[in-house]
Amino acid sequence: MQSLVDKFYDKGAIENEEAFNALTIHLTSISHFEDEAARDKVVKHANGFKNLLNHYQSEEWITEEAYDSLMLQANLLIEKWQS
């Protein structure tokens, strides 16, 4: 997911550095907790990531394409860790 965030930021689909940094911090946390197999923490941070996406879309700091793609990936990640 980080590569998608990087790609969208580079092409201007994430238009705000604050949004980019916050999304990256959440993804770093998710990666850390995945390495530890901390299921509840992965899901918690993935849901936080989704909340950020919703906020940044409402502020128009992220395009619909980036929002849809990242939301799909976050949902897939949550499904993986909840099953």
Side-chain angles (χ1 to χ4, degrees):
M1 286 176 32
Q2 184 61 55
S3 63
L4 280 176
V5 169
D6 293 342
K7 177 184 116 180
F8 286 128
Y9 183 68
D10 289 344
K11 72 179 209 176
I14 297 174
E15 301 169 2
N16 182 292
E17 188 173 346
E18 177 185 329
F20 171 76
N21 290 335
L23 293 171
T24 297
I25 288 169
H26 265 6
L27 291 174
T28 300
S29 295
I30 290 168
S31 178
H32 171 76
F33 292 125
E34 282 183 307
D35 290 344
E36 292 185 353
R39 177 183 309 237
D40 292 341
K41 290 184 179 184
V42 170
V43 172
K44 176 184 173 184
H45 282 275
N47 280 318
F49 182 83
K50 288 174 52 175
N51 289 337
L52 284 175
L53 290 175
N54 287 329
H55 172 71
Y56 295 144
Q57 185 190 38
S58 71
E59 294 292 324
E60 298 181 358
W61 290 356
I62 184 171
T63 64
E64 189 171 334
E65 174 193 8
Y67 173 85
D68 290 343
S69 180
L70 292 168
M71 188 62 79
L72 173 64
Q73 293 303 310
N75 286 330
L76 291 172
L77 179 70
I78 289 169
E79 285 178 29
K80 172 185 170 185
W81 283 91
Q82 285 183 331
S83 57

